[in-house]
Amino acid sequence: MKISYACLLIICLIFLAAAFFLVFIFFTPRLVSPISGRLISESEISFEFENADYVILSRTGEFEDSLILRKGVNLYLEPGTYFWKAKSNIAESEVRNFTIQTRVSINLLEINRSIEIINSGNTEENITVKNNETVVYFVINPGEYIETEKGELNIEARELE
Amino acid sequence: MKPYCLLLFFAAVLILLIENVYAIGISPGRTTIDISQGTEKSFSVEISNSEAKDMKVLLLVKGELKDFISLSEKELAFSPSESEKEVSVKVNLPDDILSKYGKHVAEVVAIEAPENKVSDETIVGVSMSVVSEIVVNVPYPDEFIEIDLDVVSGGVDEISRFYVSLSNMGEKLVNNIDLKLDILDSDGEVVTQLKKEKVDLAALERKEIGFEWLADVLAGTYKARATARYGNRDAVVEKEFSIGGEAVELILVYVKDFQLGSIAKFNAVVENKGTKEYSTVYFDMIILDEQAGIMDEVKSPTDSLSSGERKEFTGYWDTQGVKSGIYDSRFTLYYGEKKLEKRFKIKVSDNSIEIIGATGMAIASVEPGYNLVNILIAVIVVLFIAVVVLGIIVTKRRKKKKIERGVRIVK
C-alpha cells in the first residue's frame, strides 16, 4: 500500500495535535489546596498540587518578591494574604490566594510563685495584666514570654494595633 | 554527685514547681467590615483550646458597637478532645452609622476563668481573656488614604522586605498615588529611597505593595518611612527595624537520621553577625510533656563563636520511652552574658523529628512524570520536524506537478 506524502503530513499533524493535547491534559500543573480565598487560622499549611515541581509564593499577585517552596520545605508565614501557583519545567498553574488570619492566643504557666505568660499566637500581642493595685501593659512577639508574680490576676491579650 | 544526676534532680524539681497550665486563643484577631457592602455582616470566630483540656469559656461583646453585634453562643464548654470551636458573629449596624465617618471598634472577648484555688496559703485566681476586634470603617466623603507598613528585616547583606498597605477610606477613586519608601539611619540621614509605579485605588479598596532592599549597611537600628502622595496630601507611616537583629542569630534547628527510641541529635546552626567574639556559647532546650511538665532537657557543650562565624551546636535527647506526638519546648541560646529564647513545637514521629513553628509545607500529591514529559517533548519535536519536512516535500511536488502540467499544455 502506498501512502502519499500529503497523507503522511496529515497523519503527523494529527499526532502532533494529540501530543499537545496530552501535554495539556496530563502535564499542566494543577492546584489542589488551599482553595482560592481560603481563610486559614491554623498554624500549619500544606500546599497540595499535581504535575508540578514546586510552588511559588508571594505577598503580591504580580509575584514581585516570590519564594520558591520545594517539597518538604518549611517556612514561617506571617498573617496576611498570599498568592501562590505551582510550576513545572514546561508550564505553570493558575494563581490562587489564601489569607492567614491572625490568631491571638496565650498560654499561662504557673511556676512556683510566678506566672509565665507566653504568646502562643502568630501575631504581636498587646497584653494587659491587671491586679488589685496595678495595670501593666506588655507587647510580646509570637513565641516570647513574660514573667509576673502570682496573685489575683486579670490577663487580657489582643492583637497589636 | 554525677552531672546527669544533678540534671535529673533539677528537672524533677522543675516538674514539681509547675502547677498549672492554661491556654486560650481566638482567631481572627481583627475583622474589618467594609460598610459599602451593607450594614449587615455575618462571620465566625474560632476559639481554640490548644492545651486540650476541660475548659469553660465565656463570650461577650464590648465597645461602642456592642448593641449591634450578637453571638451564636455565650458560653462554650470544651472537652480535652475538642481543640477549637466556632462562634457565629452577626453584625447589624444602624443606618445612621454611615454619617459617622472614621473608625468604630467592637470587641468579642473570650474569657477562661479557672476555678479559684489555694496555693501557698494564698488564694490564687487568674482570669485569662483574648480579644477579637471588629473594626468598622465608615468612608469619608472626600479622598482619604490610610497607610500602614510591615517590615520583615533580614541581616546585613541580606534582603529586607517592606509591605506598604494603602487603603482608600474615602468614597472616591484616588488616582496616581505616588509611593516612595525612605530608609533612614539612626541619625535620620536617608540611606536609600525606593519608588514604585503610581497606584490607583477605588473607594474602600486596599492594596499591598512590596519593596525589597539589599541591606548593604552595618548592623543597627534603621527607620523605614513610607509616603503616599495623592493630590496635595501625604499619608506617612514610619517603623523602626533592626538590621542584623541580635548579634548572634539562630539560623536553624534540625534533627536527621532519627528512629524513635534511639538518641536524637539536635543540631542548632548559630551565626555570629556581630563584631564581638563570644567564648561561651551553648544551647539549652527544655522539652515539655502534655501537662507542660518538664519531660527532658537537651544541652549542648559550650564552645566559642567568633565574629562572622557560623557553627553547629549539638545536643542529644534519649527518646527511649518517648511516644510519638507533638511536644512544646523552650529553647535558649546562651552567648556571653546574653540569651536568645525561642519556643518550638517538636513533632516526634517513628522515623523523624520536625521542629515546627507556624509553618508552610509544599506537598506534591502526585510526583511529576519527568520521563513521560521528556518523551512527549521529544515526540512533539520529531513530529514537528516531520511536519515541516513533509510540508516542504508536498509543496515542492505540487509545484513540480504544476510545471509538468504547464509543459504538457505548451507541447
Side-chain angles (χ1 to χ4, degrees), chain B residues 13-32:
Chain B
V13 168
L14 269 166
I15 290 168
L16 290 172
L17 289 178
I18 292 183
E19 292 167 3
N20 244 313
V21 58
Y22 309 107
I24 187 168
I26 194 165
S27 179
R30 189 171 290 130
T31 305
T32 303

Side-chain angles (χ1 to χ4, degrees), chain B residues 99-113:
Chain B
S99 58
K100 295 171 183 169
Y101 309 123
K103 187 174 164 184
H104 305 274
V105 183
E107 295 171 350
V108 175
V109 186
I111 307 166
E112 183 202 3

Side-chain angles (χ1 to χ4, degrees), chain A:
Chain A
M1 196 178 78
K2 251 187 163 182
I3 302 172
S4 70
Y5 283 113
C7 277
L8 213 57
L9 178 64
I10 291 165
I11 291 166
C12 281
L13 278 169
I14 291 168
F15 273 110
L16 192 62
F20 273 116
F21 181 73
L22 276 176
V23 167
F24 180 77
I25 293 293
F26 296 109
F27 300 103
T28 302
R30 271 190 294 276
L31 309 180
V32 179
S33 78
I35 57 165
S36 212
R38 196 181 153 201
L39 298 173
I40 297 165
S41 57
E42 302 93 55
S43 52
E44 278 182 61
I45 167 174
S46 293
F47 296 99
E48 289 185 42
F49 52 91
E50 293 172 354
N51 306 331
D53 306 332
Y54 54 88
V55 161
I56 305 175
L57 182 71
S58 176
R59 290 283 290 260
T60 62
E62 291 79 30
F63 289 84
E64 282 167 331
D65 49 342
S66 52
L67 286 171
I68 289 176
L69 289 178
R70 292 191 188 275
K71 193 183 169 190
V73 171
N74 289 3
L75 83 162
Y76 178 86
L77 289 181
E78 297 200 336
T81 298
Y82 292 83
F83 296 83
W84 71 291
K85 59 185 175 184
K87 206 172 172 187
S88 69
N89 50 4
I90 55 166
E92 63 179 42
S93 69
E94 54 166 329
V95 175
R96 283 188 186 175
N97 69 66
F98 64 90
T99 301
I100 295 193
Q101 293 188 312
T102 52
R103 194 180 66 255
V104 176
S105 180
I106 44 174
N107 281 33
L108 195 142
L109 292 178
E110 286 185 26
I111 301 174
N112 199 14
R113 288 182 175 274
S114 68
I115 282 180
E116 227 178 58
I117 305 163
I118 305 154
N119 176 354
S120 50
N122 63 0
T123 184
E124 269 184 292
E125 287 177 7
N126 209 331
I127 294 187
T128 311
V129 180
K130 288 180 198 167
N131 66 18
N132 292 336
E133 294 155 9
T134 55
V135 181
V136 189
Y137 300 95
F138 301 93
V139 173
I140 320 183
N141 289 316
E144 290 182 355
Y145 70 98
I146 46 161
E147 265 183 42
T148 183
E149 268 183 35
K150 226 179 210 177
E152 288 277 352
L153 294 176
N154 225 312
I155 301 160
E156 186 188 81
R158 64 178 64 229
E159 190 181 331
L160 193 67
E161 189 77 27

Side-chain angles (χ1 to χ4, degrees), chain B residues 109-216:
Chain B
V109 186
I111 307 166
E112 183 202 3
E115 287 169 18
N116 285 355
K117 59 191 183 62
V118 177
S119 166
D120 298 344
E121 295 169 354
T122 320
I123 296 171
V124 178
V126 179
S127 129
M128 280 169 67
S129 56
V130 283
V131 175
S132 175
E133 283 187 346
I134 300 167
V135 179
V136 179
N137 286 311
V138 180
Y140 291 82
D142 197 5
E143 292 178 334
F144 192 85
I145 298 292
E146 258 186 22
I147 189 167
D148 201 3
L149 174 65
D150 249 354
V151 184
V152 182
S153 59
V156 173
D157 290 328
E158 287 179 359
I159 298 279
S160 285
R161 293 189 169 85
F162 306 86
Y163 301 98
V164 180
S165 71
L166 295 174
S167 306
N168 181 359
M169 304 306 292
E171 284 178 328
K172 290 179 185 169
L173 165 80
V174 183
N175 282 318
N176 297 322
I177 304 169
D178 205 358
L179 183 62
K180 64 173 183 181
L181 183 83
D182 293 313
I183 311 286
L184 298 98
D185 62 18
S186 52
D187 300 326
E189 295 290 323
V190 176
V191 176
T192 191
Q193 187 176 79
L194 308 168
K195 281 197 151 196
K196 285 272 164 163
E197 281 177 21
K198 291 188 175 176
V199 183
D200 296 339
L201 274 181
L204 293 172
E205 192 186 4
R206 180 183 179 275
K207 275 186 186 165
E208 194 168 76
I209 296 110
F211 289 87
E212 281 188 358
W213 174 53
L214 177 68
D216 49 351

